[in-house]
Amino acid sequence: MKPFFLFCLLICFSSGKVTANNNAPTSAPKEIEFLHWWTSKGEVAAFNLVKDALLQAGVSLLDQPIPGGGGDTAMSILQARAIAGTPPDIVQLEGPSIQSWAALGFLHELEQVAKDENWHDNLLPVAQQVNQYQQRYVAIPIAIHRLNWMWINQKVLRQYGLAVPESWDALIDVFERLKKNGVEPLALGKDQWQVALLFENLAFGYGGADYYQRAFIQMDPAVLNSDTTHEILHRFRAISRLVKPGMSHMRWDEGTQLLIEGERAFQISGDWVLGDLLASHAKVPTDIACYPAPSRHPGFIYNMDSFALFNSPRTDEMTAAVVSKTLSSPEFLKTFNRVKGALPARSDIKLNGFNSCSINAKKDMETAAKTGQMIPSIVDSMAVSPIAQQATSSEIYRYFNDETMKPDDFILHLQNIPRGE
Ligand code: BGC
């Protein structure tokens, strides 16, 4: 280690405080391995900002991107590596899995940086709750994504004289009209999580936050077995009949490209789509508009990206502190989230310079938090255990694809999913 870097570490840490190093260190950077699932244009652009910020602080990243939106494949690889005793040093994680990894003793505690940087006062409440285990921080809160977005190619809609749909029935009607004109309505790939996310949008939009919580998070049999669920499933079937013939094995970001090109009219997905639209220089919202997915009560479905440091010889105390300090700074979170299309996990960051879709998302998030309409995504790993999440998504996927599956079968299968940790 060259003298400058060593000097900085000694000075910065001797007071128990970590100071981000804005000058490029003169020593060879320390290398750590980073596992994540950011492989689309916008995601790569955002990840490069992580790399740059850490390099500035004297840490270089050995990048391990695992393709597969939603992170299912990345999480399987993480489990396999952890079992083999060779987990990566730093990992993109979401929701309750942070607590599970912490409970197993894998995660580095970040309590000192959290105290020094006053995370308690500066993080959004949801970021505080998600990133702690037994009241101690074990992950770095990065981004809040809104999942109930409807991205629309305005030109296509205008071409056929169609208004922006404000209800799910109006959306189905618009889909039918587009199909009659030979236009594929929805950018949707055959991945299970893409289909399950569409259902989540429909269930929340049609039933509202209270219904959604009780039916799909608490699995209350009476709420699950209600007319509302039947009405939702009826609409889900109608959508599946309209969009299935045009579906392929495309990734979500390939879908976004088709949306930009006017080959699809809509995409219903999280605001990582915005990251890709921006990286592709699409005009947002003039050409590609963002509207909340139809909803009876305005609301906000969220997931959250966090980074967790796994215990390893490379993630010693000082490296962990430098990494968490750098990646939780307001400057980094602002630059990163503007590119990622998401909202910063801190509450003390102004959104000047952000796209208007993000600015609207923040307003909607604040309203939803006050009115009890802000809810965690089941499909994107925020609300239930990974086992319950997989089982729920798999039943949704089956229902979408299998016309012979009746609503009562779906409801019964969901009722039988154990909700435990
Ligand atoms: C992550 C996003 C990511 C998206 C698509 C979500 O699970 O939270 O950061 O962009 O998957 O890959």
Side-chain angles (χ1 to χ4, degrees), residues 111-127:
E111 201 50 23
Q112 189 58 50
V113 172
K115 282 205 178 90
D116 292 345
E117 299 304 309
N118 203 4
W119 287 6
H120 185 68
D121 288 338
N122 294 326
L123 290 179
L124 293 169
V126 62

PDB file of all heavy atoms in Angstrom, residues 111-127:
ATOM      1  N   GLU A 111     -22.738  -0.151  11.142  1.00  0.00           N
ATOM      2  CA  GLU A 111     -23.305   0.726  12.156  1.00  0.00           C
ATOM      3  C   GLU A 111     -22.479   2.004  12.367  1.00  0.00           C
ATOM      4  O   GLU A 111     -23.029   3.088  12.526  1.00  0.00           O
ATOM      5  CB  GLU A 111     -23.408  -0.086  13.460  1.00  0.00           C
ATOM      6  CG  GLU A 111     -24.368   0.426  14.476  1.00  0.00           C
ATOM      7  CD  GLU A 111     -25.779   0.741  13.986  1.00  0.00           C
ATOM      8  OE1 GLU A 111     -26.235   0.216  12.962  1.00  0.00           O
ATOM      9  OE2 GLU A 111     -26.414   1.572  14.652  1.00  0.00           O
ATOM     10  N   GLN A 112     -21.144   1.861  12.300  1.00  0.00           N
ATOM     11  CA  GLN A 112     -20.320   3.039  12.569  1.00  0.00           C
ATOM     12  C   GLN A 112     -20.530   4.117  11.498  1.00  0.00           C
ATOM     13  O   GLN A 112     -20.738   5.289  11.804  1.00  0.00           O
ATOM     14  CB  GLN A 112     -18.829   2.637  12.622  1.00  0.00           C
ATOM     15  CG  GLN A 112     -17.923   3.754  13.113  1.00  0.00           C
ATOM     16  CD  GLN A 112     -18.313   4.241  14.516  1.00  0.00           C
ATOM     17  OE1 GLN A 112     -18.485   3.441  15.433  1.00  0.00           O
ATOM     18  NE2 GLN A 112     -18.497   5.560  14.672  1.00  0.00           N
ATOM     19  N   VAL A 113     -20.521   3.703  10.228  1.00  0.00           N
ATOM     20  CA  VAL A 113     -20.746   4.667   9.141  1.00  0.00           C
ATOM     21  C   VAL A 113     -22.169   5.235   9.263  1.00  0.00           C
ATOM     22  O   VAL A 113     -22.386   6.441   9.094  1.00  0.00           O
ATOM     23  CB  VAL A 113     -20.543   4.013   7.757  1.00  0.00           C
ATOM     24  CG1 VAL A 113     -20.971   4.947   6.639  1.00  0.00           C
ATOM     25  CG2 VAL A 113     -19.087   3.652   7.577  1.00  0.00           C
ATOM     26  N   ALA A 114     -23.116   4.381   9.571  1.00  0.00           N
ATOM     27  CA  ALA A 114     -24.508   4.852   9.710  1.00  0.00           C
ATOM     28  C   ALA A 114     -24.599   5.945  10.769  1.00  0.00           C
ATOM     29  O   ALA A 114     -25.291   6.952  10.587  1.00  0.00           O
ATOM     30  CB  ALA A 114     -25.414   3.679  10.069  1.00  0.00           C
ATOM     31  N   LYS A 115     -23.857   5.764  11.866  1.00  0.00           N
ATOM     32  CA  LYS A 115     -23.873   6.774  12.947  1.00  0.00           C
ATOM     33  C   LYS A 115     -23.152   8.031  12.486  1.00  0.00           C
ATOM     34  O   LYS A 115     -23.663   9.144  12.611  1.00  0.00           O
ATOM     35  CB  LYS A 115     -23.174   6.223  14.185  1.00  0.00           C
ATOM     36  CG  LYS A 115     -24.025   5.265  14.965  1.00  0.00           C
ATOM     37  CD  LYS A 115     -23.586   5.223  16.441  1.00  0.00           C
ATOM     38  CE  LYS A 115     -24.485   4.285  17.229  1.00  0.00           C
ATOM     39  NZ  LYS A 115     -23.975   2.898  17.232  1.00  0.00           N
ATOM     40  N   ASP A 116     -21.940   7.851  11.924  1.00  0.00           N
ATOM     41  CA  ASP A 116     -21.150   9.010  11.494  1.00  0.00           C
ATOM     42  C   ASP A 116     -21.903   9.845  10.470  1.00  0.00           C
ATOM     43  O   ASP A 116     -21.814  11.066  10.445  1.00  0.00           O
ATOM     44  CB  ASP A 116     -19.824   8.554  10.856  1.00  0.00           C
ATOM     45  CG  ASP A 116     -18.893   7.922  11.878  1.00  0.00           C
ATOM     46  OD1 ASP A 116     -19.151   8.111  13.084  1.00  0.00           O
ATOM     47  OD2 ASP A 116     -17.938   7.231  11.471  1.00  0.00           O
ATOM     48  N   GLU A 117     -22.606   9.140   9.597  1.00  0.00           N
ATOM     49  CA  GLU A 117     -23.284   9.844   8.494  1.00  0.00           C
ATOM     50  C   GLU A 117     -24.741  10.153   8.820  1.00  0.00           C
ATOM     51  O   GLU A 117     -25.485  10.622   7.962  1.00  0.00           O
ATOM     52  CB  GLU A 117     -23.224   8.985   7.220  1.00  0.00           C
ATOM     53  CG  GLU A 117     -21.819   8.685   6.745  1.00  0.00           C
ATOM     54  CD  GLU A 117     -21.024   9.947   6.512  1.00  0.00           C
ATOM     55  OE1 GLU A 117     -21.523  10.834   5.808  1.00  0.00           O
ATOM     56  OE2 GLU A 117     -19.901  10.052   7.065  1.00  0.00           O
ATOM     57  N   ASN A 118     -25.138   9.838  10.020  1.00  0.00           N
ATOM     58  CA  ASN A 118     -26.490  10.144  10.489  1.00  0.00           C
ATOM     59  C   ASN A 118     -27.578   9.602   9.558  1.00  0.00           C
ATOM     60  O   ASN A 118     -28.498  10.324   9.166  1.00  0.00           O
ATOM     61  CB  ASN A 118     -26.621  11.681  10.638  1.00  0.00           C
ATOM     62  CG  ASN A 118     -27.726  12.017  11.606  1.00  0.00           C
ATOM     63  OD1 ASN A 118     -28.318  11.107  12.208  1.00  0.00           O
ATOM     64  ND2 ASN A 118     -28.038  13.285  11.744  1.00  0.00           N
ATOM     65  N   TRP A 119     -27.433   8.325   9.219  1.00  0.00           N
ATOM     66  CA  TRP A 119     -28.437   7.698   8.358  1.00  0.00           C
ATOM     67  C   TRP A 119     -29.818   7.812   9.002  1.00  0.00           C
ATOM     68  O   TRP A 119     -30.811   7.959   8.315  1.00  0.00           O
ATOM     69  CB  TRP A 119     -28.106   6.214   8.117  1.00  0.00           C
ATOM     70  CG  TRP A 119     -26.949   5.984   7.190  1.00  0.00           C
ATOM     71  CD1 TRP A 119     -26.123   6.932   6.653  1.00  0.00           C
ATOM     72  CD2 TRP A 119     -26.497   4.727   6.676  1.00  0.00           C
ATOM     73  NE1 TRP A 119     -25.184   6.337   5.852  1.00  0.00           N
ATOM     74  CE2 TRP A 119     -25.383   4.990   5.833  1.00  0.00           C
ATOM     75  CE3 TRP A 119     -26.911   3.398   6.832  1.00  0.00           C
ATOM     76  CZ2 TRP A 119     -24.693   3.971   5.162  1.00  0.00           C
ATOM     77  CZ3 TRP A 119     -26.229   2.394   6.164  1.00  0.00           C
ATOM     78  CH2 TRP A 119     -25.134   2.671   5.349  1.00  0.00           C
ATOM     79  N   HIS A 120     -29.827   7.740  10.331  1.00  0.00           N
ATOM     80  CA  HIS A 120     -31.103   7.739  11.037  1.00  0.00           C
ATOM     81  C   HIS A 120     -31.961   8.945  10.662  1.00  0.00           C
ATOM     82  O   HIS A 120     -33.173   8.847  10.484  1.00  0.00           O
ATOM     83  CB  HIS A 120     -30.842   7.720  12.544  1.00  0.00           C
ATOM     84  CG  HIS A 120     -32.106   7.609  13.322  1.00  0.00           C
ATOM     85  ND1 HIS A 120     -32.881   6.472  13.296  1.00  0.00           N
ATOM     86  CD2 HIS A 120     -32.750   8.510  14.094  1.00  0.00           C
ATOM     87  CE1 HIS A 120     -33.945   6.664  14.043  1.00  0.00           C
ATOM     88  NE2 HIS A 120     -33.897   7.892  14.539  1.00  0.00           N
ATOM     89  N   ASP A 121     -31.334  10.108  10.510  1.00  0.00           N
ATOM     90  CA  ASP A 121     -32.108  11.312  10.197  1.00  0.00           C
ATOM     91  C   ASP A 121     -32.257  11.544   8.698  1.00  0.00           C
ATOM     92  O   ASP A 121     -33.139  12.290   8.280  1.00  0.00           O
ATOM     93  CB  ASP A 121     -31.431  12.557  10.798  1.00  0.00           C
ATOM     94  CG  ASP A 121     -31.594  12.561  12.308  1.00  0.00           C
ATOM     95  OD1 ASP A 121     -32.527  11.883  12.789  1.00  0.00           O
ATOM     96  OD2 ASP A 121     -30.782  13.208  12.986  1.00  0.00           O
ATOM     97  N   ASN A 122     -31.373  10.945   7.910  1.00  0.00           N
ATOM     98  CA  ASN A 122     -31.354  11.295   6.488  1.00  0.00           C
ATOM     99  C   ASN A 122     -31.959  10.261   5.548  1.00  0.00           C
ATOM    100  O   ASN A 122     -32.144  10.547   4.364  1.00  0.00           O
ATOM    101  CB  ASN A 122     -29.911  11.572   6.041  1.00  0.00           C
ATOM    102  CG  ASN A 122     -29.370  12.815   6.718  1.00  0.00           C
ATOM    103  OD1 ASN A 122     -30.125  13.750   6.960  1.00  0.00           O
ATOM    104  ND2 ASN A 122     -28.095  12.816   7.054  1.00  0.00           N
ATOM    105  N   LEU A 123     -32.231   9.078   6.061  1.00  0.00           N
ATOM    106  CA  LEU A 123     -32.785   8.060   5.159  1.00  0.00           C
ATOM    107  C   LEU A 123     -34.309   8.105   5.183  1.00  0.00           C
ATOM    108  O   LEU A 123     -34.912   8.449   6.205  1.00  0.00           O
ATOM    109  CB  LEU A 123     -32.351   6.662   5.599  1.00  0.00           C
ATOM    110  CG  LEU A 123     -30.886   6.298   5.409  1.00  0.00           C
ATOM    111  CD1 LEU A 123     -30.637   4.876   5.921  1.00  0.00           C
ATOM    112  CD2 LEU A 123     -30.497   6.376   3.937  1.00  0.00           C
ATOM    113  N   LEU A 124     -34.915   7.736   4.063  1.00  0.00           N
ATOM    114  CA  LEU A 124     -36.372   7.576   4.047  1.00  0.00           C
ATOM    115  C   LEU A 124     -36.726   6.471   5.048  1.00  0.00           C
ATOM    116  O   LEU A 124     -35.952   5.519   5.208  1.00  0.00           O
ATOM    117  CB  LEU A 124     -36.827   7.147   2.650  1.00  0.00           C
ATOM    118  CG  LEU A 124     -36.656   8.190   1.541  1.00  0.00           C
ATOM    119  CD1 LEU A 124     -36.886   7.545   0.178  1.00  0.00           C
ATOM    120  CD2 LEU A 124     -37.623   9.357   1.745  1.00  0.00           C
ATOM    121  N   PRO A 125     -37.890   6.579   5.696  1.00  0.00           N
ATOM    122  CA  PRO A 125     -38.247   5.557   6.706  1.00  0.00           C
ATOM    123  C   PRO A 125     -38.153   4.129   6.163  1.00  0.00           C
ATOM    124  O   PRO A 125     -37.635   3.240   6.834  1.00  0.00           O
ATOM    125  CB  PRO A 125     -39.689   5.913   7.065  1.00  0.00           C
ATOM    126  CG  PRO A 125     -39.819   7.375   6.720  1.00  0.00           C
ATOM    127  CD  PRO A 125     -38.872   7.646   5.598  1.00  0.00           C
ATOM    128  N   VAL A 126     -38.592   3.943   4.939  1.00  0.00           N
ATOM    129  CA  VAL A 126     -38.565   2.582   4.398  1.00  0.00           C
ATOM    130  C   VAL A 126     -37.120   2.093   4.246  1.00  0.00           C
ATOM    131  O   VAL A 126     -36.816   0.906   4.464  1.00  0.00           O
ATOM    132  CB  VAL A 126     -39.374   2.497   3.073  1.00  0.00           C
ATOM    133  CG1 VAL A 126     -38.801   3.389   1.996  1.00  0.00           C
ATOM    134  CG2 VAL A 126     -39.425   1.088   2.548  1.00  0.00           C
ATOM    135  N   ALA A 127     -36.215   2.987   3.919  1.00  0.00           N
ATOM    136  CA  ALA A 127     -34.808   2.597   3.766  1.00  0.00           C
ATOM    137  C   ALA A 127     -34.213   2.222   5.120  1.00  0.00           C
ATOM    138  O   ALA A 127     -33.363   1.337   5.217  1.00  0.00           O
ATOM    139  CB  ALA A 127     -34.022   3.730   3.124  1.00  0.00           C
TER     140      ALA A 127
END
